[in-house]
Amino acid sequence: MLRLPALFTVPGDALAGAAAAGVRPGPRTLLAIGSSLCLYEAGMALNDWADREEDAVERPHRPLPSGRIRPAAALTTACGLTGAGLLLAARAGRPALAVAAPLAATVWAYDLALKHTPAGPAAMAAARGLDLLLGAAATGGGTRAALPSAALLGSHTLAVTAVSRRETIGGSALAPLAALATTGALTRLVTHRRTRLPAGRRAAAAPGLPGSHPAEGRPRSAAALATALGAAYAATAARPYFHATLNPSPPLVQRAVGGGIRATVPLQAALAARSGATATSLLVAALAPAGRMFARRAAMRKVSIT
């Protein structure tokens, strides 16, 4: 029910947010990651509870319609994880809680009311963008510098969610085609924009100043890394989108959704590199093979965000 392999796409939100804020990750970043993981899993449990009747027809193998988990247990899990996520955000500070509260509200609104409406993909995109801003708020105390990165990550999520709405019925090439175009635009933005360090990191990276960090003091190397990771993002997402555009059958649409989910990690890493945080970027990038390894071992390759 909790789709554990998908959890590897979550820590990169907070880490990319911290990078965009120009602050190295610290204990409060870990609290933000913990909050994000709890809220993400709360959404997964709540999603299955809200869709239990639909899943009984379209996905009878899922835990609730198959009888492996009771609906009351799923709802209780969602409530408990939401509370834990908000508590962890509060421990990270008021700015983090100020972002986590609307994030939790967005998750619940999506699962209970917005998912099957035209506003569904936008709500999912907003949740992912807020998750990145949670990392910025917890680590740096503000969100303004992270807004561009949140918008880019949200755009990717919007495209993936739009494709996922037809993963069981297929039949339309419009959504995967739009996702393919979005992938191209995002790749260009993360690879062709010159990396500029935020003011705080520029000062810390100046030669001879206390707190300088060689790995984060070379904008050119960060730009090169952003280019490589942007290419990895495009390679992960574009091919399955292209195949689903040519043949929008349910199996190919589901592969496109899976590719879009997996592409989240290299995009997060590219956003961190774009902000000049090479060490953070490499840390995020390492989550991709770890997630694939876990998915193989758990025999859980098919992971849906809906």
Side-chain angles (χ1 to χ4, degrees):
M1 181 179 71
L2 297 180
R3 301 165 181 77
L4 295 180
L7 283 180
F8 288 90
T9 71
V10 178
D13 289 344
L15 292 169
V23 183
R24 291 184 179 87
R28 292 191 176 187
T29 312
L30 293 177
L31 289 171
I33 292 173
S35 175
S36 297
L37 291 171
C38 288
L39 294 177
Y40 188 90
E41 291 291 40
M44 289 294 189
L46 185 63
N47 173 79
D48 278 13
W49 180 84
D51 286 355
R52 61 192 184 281
E53 295 181 1
E54 175 185 334
D55 287 345
V57 177
E58 297 183 352
R59 309 175 185 92
H61 61 280
R62 284 192 171 180
L64 269 67
S66 67
R68 298 196 304 274
I69 296 178
R70 295 181 179 180
L75 183 59
T76 301
T77 299
C79 293
L81 287 171
T82 300
L86 293 174
L87 179 61
L88 288 170
R91 292 288 301 273
R94 290 185 179 179
L97 182 60
V99 177
L103 171 57
T106 302
V107 169
W108 279 72
Y110 173 83
D111 283 332
L112 298 182
L114 301 178
K115 178 180 177 180
H116 298 293
T117 72
M124 183 70 84
R128 186 63 85 163
L130 285 169
D131 202 32
L132 186 146
L133 295 178
L134 175 59
T139 310
T143 60
R144 180 176 297 182
L147 289 174
S149 292
L152 295 177
L153 185 60
S155 297
H156 166 72
T157 305
L158 178 68
V160 179
T161 308
V163 174
S164 74
R165 290 165 76 89
R166 285 185 169 268
E167 65 179 340
T168 59
I169 59 175
S172 174
L174 182 59
L177 180 60
L180 183 61
T182 300
T183 300
L186 293 177
T187 301
R188 179 173 179 82
L189 286 172
V190 299
T191 59
H192 286 76
R193 179 173 176 175
R194 184 166 63 89
T195 304
R196 294 182 179 179
L197 299 177
R201 185 174 283 122
R202 283 199 301 268
L209 291 182
S212 63
H213 192 287
E216 294 185 344
R218 295 193 295 266
R220 289 183 180 179
S221 63
L225 183 58
T227 300
L229 290 168
Y233 160 68
T236 304
R239 184 176 180 180
Y241 286 154
F242 180 70
H243 289 166
T245 300
L246 295 178
N247 178 15
S249 62
L252 290 182
V253 172
Q254 290 166 16
R255 289 181 186 178
V257 174
I261 295 173
R262 290 190 297 273
T264 301
V265 175
L267 177 58
Q268 293 163 336
L271 290 172
R274 179 175 177 262
S275 299
T278 55
T280 299
S281 177
L282 293 173
L283 176 61
V284 174
L287 294 172
R292 287 195 298 269
M293 183 182 303
F294 186 91
R296 285 195 297 268
R297 289 181 177 179
M300 298 168 63
R301 287 175 181 263
K302 294 183 179 180
V303 178
S304 172
I305 59 174
T306 61

